[in-house]
Amino acid sequence: MPVLPSPSDQAERLIALGATGPLGPDVLRKEAAALPDRPGLLVVGGARPSDLAPLLRRAGRPGFVVEDMTDVDDFVPVVEVPDAPVWLLEDPDRGDDLANASPAEAQVVFDGGGRTPLLLTEGIQWVLQVPEVLERNRCFMTIGSRLRKPTGRLDARTPAVWISNGTGRDGRDRRDAPKVGWCWWNNRHTWLGFASAAHRTTAA
């Protein structure tokens, strides 16, 4: 995986992109500077996928959320995340080794310990920092985020970040653009891994 710059350098990139979420530039700089200065992804908590996705770029085209995912911001963490404005996501991995597993099967692997699946917002922020993480036929799901129905049950859709082929409702103008979409909980896809990390670390 590409090497990530320091948290402070990542903060400056997010500021330049207008991707600071609920934090202003000065607050983000301060919070990023307080994180451990070691490799990892700077994550802004509270950022909304619908705001972040259009900031993605690939092949000169902006990212987008699929038309039938108007509720993308309602997908919430189903894993433990820090109660902090920012955190460091350590050792992020695209999960290529889990390609062609279903989300249900990948969850069994994560339940075995050692890794935690990424949130959708974490996955998008990762691609914002290092766009080359997203490769054709090497994209990823982010099953740390799910949509909970009013009944309390989880929606069968699971979010993912991949590359549009410009077909169907995407439209030809979106071919090769970064795409936020979803797949079914029990379906397999050879080109989708399952992004995960070792830890989420906050300031001391």
Side-chain angles (χ1 to χ4, degrees), residues 106-158:
Q107 187 62 59
V108 172
V109 175
F110 293 134
D111 287 345
R115 306 282 297 180
T116 179
L118 260 61
L119 311 180
L120 175 57
T121 52
E122 291 174 333
I124 298 173
Q125 290 180 68
W126 191 18
V127 180
L128 283 175
Q129 294 289 354
V130 279
E132 58 268 35
V133 162
L134 204 63
E135 297 181 78
R136 188 165 288 284
N137 298 320
R138 290 291 186 273
C139 301
F140 57 86
M141 301 197 70
T142 54
I143 63 172
S145 296
R146 300 286 303 279
L147 176 65
R148 195 170 295 278
K149 297 180 179 182
T151 60
R153 299 185 65 180
L154 292 172
D155 192 277
R157 293 173 296 164
T158 50

Side-chain angles (χ1 to χ4, degrees), residues 30-186:
K30 178 182 177 181
E31 295 291 343
L35 289 171
D37 189 12
R38 57 177 184 255
L41 174 70
L42 169 66
V43 176
V44 176
R48 303 195 310 173
S50 63
D51 293 333
L52 296 175
L55 303 176
L56 296 168
R57 290 291 184 277
R58 187 180 186 278
R61 292 177 169 83
F64 66 99
V65 179
V66 294
E67 291 185 10
D68 58 354
M69 204 175 181
T70 57
D71 52 2
V72 65
D73 292 336
D74 295 328
F75 283 70
V76 298
V78 290
V79 295
E80 186 175 351
V81 297
D83 181 14
V86 302
W87 58 84
L88 191 69
L89 189 74
E90 299 194 50
D91 190 25
D93 185 84
R94 201 166 52 190
D96 294 352
D97 58 314
L98 290 172
N100 208 35
S102 69
E105 291 164 338
Q107 187 62 59
V108 172
V109 175
F110 293 134
D111 287 345
R115 306 282 297 180
T116 179
L118 260 61
L119 311 180
L120 175 57
T121 52
E122 291 174 333
I124 298 173
Q125 290 180 68
W126 191 18
V127 180
L128 283 175
Q129 294 289 354
V130 279
E132 58 268 35
V133 162
L134 204 63
E135 297 181 78
R136 188 165 288 284
N137 298 320
R138 290 291 186 273
C139 301
F140 57 86
M141 301 197 70
T142 54
I143 63 172
S145 296
R146 300 286 303 279
L147 176 65
R148 195 170 295 278
K149 297 180 179 182
T151 60
R153 299 185 65 180
L154 292 172
D155 192 277
R157 293 173 296 164
T158 50
V161 185
W162 74 90
I163 299 168
S164 175
N165 286 326
T167 56
R169 286 182 288 182
D170 289 1
R172 286 182 295 177
D173 290 345
R174 283 174 165 168
R175 179 173 173 79
D176 294 325
K179 173 178 177 176
V180 173
W182 57 271
C183 298
W184 297 117
W185 180 247
N186 287 305

